[in-house]
Amino acid sequence: MAADKILLEIVAPNRLIMHEEVEEVVCPGIEGELGILPGHIPLLTTLTIGELRYKKNNLFCSLAIGWGYAEITGSRVVILAELAEKAEEIDLTRAEEAKKRAEEVLAKGPEEADFEKAKESLQKALNRLQIAGKRPPS
Amino acid sequence: MPNLQHIKRRIGSVKNTQQITKAMKMVAAAKLKRAQDKILEARPYAQKMLSVLGNLSARVERESHPLLAKRGNKKIEVMIVTSDRGLCGAFNANIIRKSFEFLREKRAEGCEITLNAVGRKGRDFYRRRDFEIRKTLAGIFDRLSYQNASEIGIDIVESYEKGLFDELYVVYNEFKSAMQQRVIIEKLLPIEPSVQTEIGFAADYIFEPSAKVILHSLLPKHIEVQTFRILLESNASEYGARMTAMEAATKNAKELIKKLTLVYNRTRQSMITKELMDIINGSEALK
């Protein structure tokens, strides 16, 4: 493996999402965005809902991440994501529906039992919608 | 002499049975394929999780988290994963036999035992026995999702932290191949971290926010992931067992039909011979 590359592995509970060599990874850490270049010191962090970008052949690609862990060693980044979708794979109608459902619950006010849950799913849906807008022009 | 009508009806009924077993075999085969794919897809996550956990727990005190700390083995819970439906050969029988032996052993050691029955068959068996069933869950295998595993995982972690039990064992069928399943008894709680150090692995790690916080959220997640894997294994094993059982049943039906057809033809032949003899005898007498 070339020294200026990182092996990026992203796995979700139900499948392996990607296993590729990339030049740079930017992931949404719990305490702010993390930019990872080859040779990064070992790091283990929690990821929050947000966007994961990676650079390959000087081109940035995006993924929507909803909660997970990242284990970083010098030459490897392992992402254990609860939820991860590539920008081009995001199902827009599903995200819209999720957004609508969450908003309905939120409209009922904080007494609602699922209030916190709805807040989170709204965040996830918005995140997905935003990232879906960044698909590479095909 | 067997009644011709009777045999004919019997053949018809066996044929019907054979059609059903054949159809069930096909269905099981199709579902097996899907279940197998699911396992293969779920494996990388479970493996990565395990290696992250191994690296992490090597760097913290064992007693720093309740899910890691050992606290005796007097109160145990056993989770028994069976199927919801029968007609899958010795699948459930094996699980029940193994788990029953295990429970008796533990009871002889003086453990307090509670049960957690996943799947209808196990629940029905132990409901009639002298064991306390703390929790049951049935009917999840038709549409198995990570959500199911997550619910089970959250429940057992909560109960464990409340101190309802000190150890948790799972009895389930591990998927080896379509023809082969193996009954496994596995200790799920407290978590035994398998420390595996990779070559060229720097010892110093930065943790963000901190090792303890990460461990806190990672351990329950680990239990969920393991539960998910176990459910998938059991599910695939069930379809494998059913496919094999139904194939055997189809074969047996085929043999039975062959035998019955033989008897039928023989009987028919002897009846014709008898009738001919009657006619010949009659015409002889008229001469």
Side-chain angles (χ1 to χ4, degrees):
Chain A
M1 196 166 68
D4 55 346
K5 297 254 172 151
I6 323 172
L7 182 66
L8 174 64
E9 287 179 78
I10 303 180
V11 287
N14 51 7
R15 67 200 181 106
L16 180 73
I17 292 179
M18 59 180 292
H19 184 106
E20 266 174 60
E21 282 188 1
V22 300
E23 289 135 30
E24 187 185 338
V25 181
V26 180
C27 57
I30 193 125
E31 296 183 343
E33 282 216 322
L34 287 165
I36 297 143
L37 289 170
H40 197 285
I41 59 168
L43 172 78
L44 187 64
T45 181
T46 317
L47 299 177
T48 174
I49 298 165
E51 177 188 14
L52 181 132
R53 293 191 302 269
Y54 62 90
K55 189 160 86 174
K56 196 182 177 189
N57 302 328
N58 275 324
L59 219 77
F60 267 108
C61 299
S62 297
L63 280 102
I65 297 278
W67 233 83
Y69 303 94
E71 188 189 39
I72 296 144
T73 55
S75 57
R76 224 172 56 160
V77 176
V78 179
I79 309 270
L80 291 166
E82 189 99 314
L83 197 134
E85 279 172 297
K86 288 186 179 178
E88 58 268 30
E89 285 172 1
I90 293 174
D91 187 339
L92 274 178
T93 41
R94 252 191 59 212
E96 286 283 3
E97 274 169 28
K99 183 185 154 202
K100 222 182 274 168
R101 265 202 313 274
E103 277 171 345
E104 274 166 24
V105 177
L106 287 178
K108 290 178 192 161
E111 299 83 49
E112 192 67 18
D114 294 334
F115 192 73
E116 288 301 319
K117 228 172 154 185
K119 236 168 155 177
E120 204 182 297
S121 50
L122 179 64
Q123 235 176 333
K124 276 184 192 161
L126 287 177
N127 180 43
R128 268 154 68 200
L129 287 174
Q130 193 205 343
I131 288 161
K134 289 191 186 172
R135 329 174 163 211
S138 50
Chain B
M1 187 177 285
N3 188 333
L4 265 191
Q5 197 64 41
H6 206 83
I7 300 173
K8 211 168 179 180
R9 216 178 296 142
R10 184 84 200 281
I11 290 176
S13 115
V14 175
K15 261 188 185 151
N16 276 337
T17 313
Q18 190 194 25
Q19 265 175 0
I20 293 169
T21 55
K22 218 176 192 167
M24 281 184 77
K25 184 195 141 197
M26 304 282 210
V27 172
K31 285 190 173 169
L32 172 68
K33 179 78 185 49
R34 241 180 301 154
Q36 235 173 323
D37 290 346
K38 263 188 170 171
I39 286 200
L40 293 182
E41 283 168 350
R43 268 187 191 151
Y45 190 79
Q47 277 163 3
K48 290 277 180 271
M49 185 70 121
L50 210 61
S51 84
V52 170
L53 192 71
N55 288 332
L56 185 61
S57 54
R59 285 170 186 80
V60 293
E61 290 291 307
R62 212 188 147 82
E63 274 65 42
S64 67
H65 194 279
L67 294 187
L68 286 171
K70 283 184 179 161
R71 53 179 197 216
N73 51 8
K74 276 291 148 225
K75 278 197 289 186
I76 65 167
E77 171 149 304
V78 181
M79 184 160 118
I80 295 156
V81 187
T82 52
S83 72
D84 286 329
R85 295 207 194 102
L87 291 182
C88 43
F91 180 84
N92 290 310
N94 281 342
I95 280 274
I96 285 171
R97 188 165 39 85
K98 257 294 189 30
S99 63
F100 201 55
E101 272 169 28
F102 180 71
L103 290 175
R104 272 220 301 255
E105 235 169 71
K106 283 285 167 191
R107 184 167 268 185
E109 285 170 23
C111 295
E112 268 179 63
I113 302 169
T114 53
L115 294 183
N116 187 344
V118 177
R120 198 162 286 139
K121 290 283 161 187
R123 183 195 67 185
D124 292 350
F125 178 83
Y126 280 106
R127 202 154 51 182
R128 295 190 301 266
R129 299 296 187 288
D130 177 28
F131 286 101
E132 186 199 332
I133 302 181
R134 187 182 66 83
K135 185 109 184 155
T136 66
L137 192 63
I140 57 165
F141 287 109
D142 276 340
R143 303 178 62 87
L144 190 60
S145 73
Y146 186 74
Q147 193 66 27
N148 300 126
S150 177
E151 277 160 22
I152 297 175
I154 288 170
D155 170 66
I156 56 182
V157 167
E158 269 177 10
S159 321
Y160 182 77
E161 282 175 346
K162 268 190 234 156
L164 293 183
F165 46 87
D166 299 327
E167 277 183 337
L168 177 76
Y169 291 89
V170 189
V171 190
Y172 68 100
N173 269 305
E174 187 195 45
F175 182 76
K176 298 219 87 159
S177 71
M179 312 287 278
Q180 243 189 332
Q181 299 87 33
R182 208 158 53 124
V183 177
I184 300 251
I185 300 178
E186 200 176 284
K187 189 157 136 195
L188 209 57
L189 280 171
I191 296 166
E192 303 272 2
S194 55
V195 182
Q196 30 176 215
T197 33
E198 282 174 44
I199 308 146
F201 205 69
D204 279 319
Y205 245 98
I206 302 179
F207 294 105
E208 198 176 288
S210 75
K212 220 173 157 186
V213 174
I214 294 181
L215 201 60
H216 249 273
S217 65
L218 192 67
L219 287 176
K221 188 91 351 165
H222 170 72
I223 296 294
E224 282 176 29
V225 171
Q226 289 303 318
T227 314
F228 188 49
R229 185 186 57 83
I230 287 168
L231 292 182
L232 287 177
E233 297 264 4
S234 173
N235 199 26
S237 306
E238 181 193 334
Y239 291 130
R242 178 164 298 131
M243 196 179 88
T244 323
M246 286 302 119
E247 192 174 324
T250 312
K251 223 174 84 195
N252 287 344
K254 201 170 148 195
E255 260 165 43
L256 194 56
I257 290 171
K258 214 167 133 193
K259 253 188 226 156
L260 284 173
T261 316
L262 195 67
V263 175
Y264 176 81
N265 284 341
R266 248 188 219 147
T267 316
R268 199 174 60 106
Q269 190 61 59
S270 65
M271 272 171 78
I272 292 167
T273 315
K274 210 178 114 210
E275 267 171 39
L276 272 180
M277 263 162 53
D278 281 350
I279 295 167
I280 293 164
N281 278 346
S283 61
E284 284 288 323
L286 285 178
K287 273 182 192 166

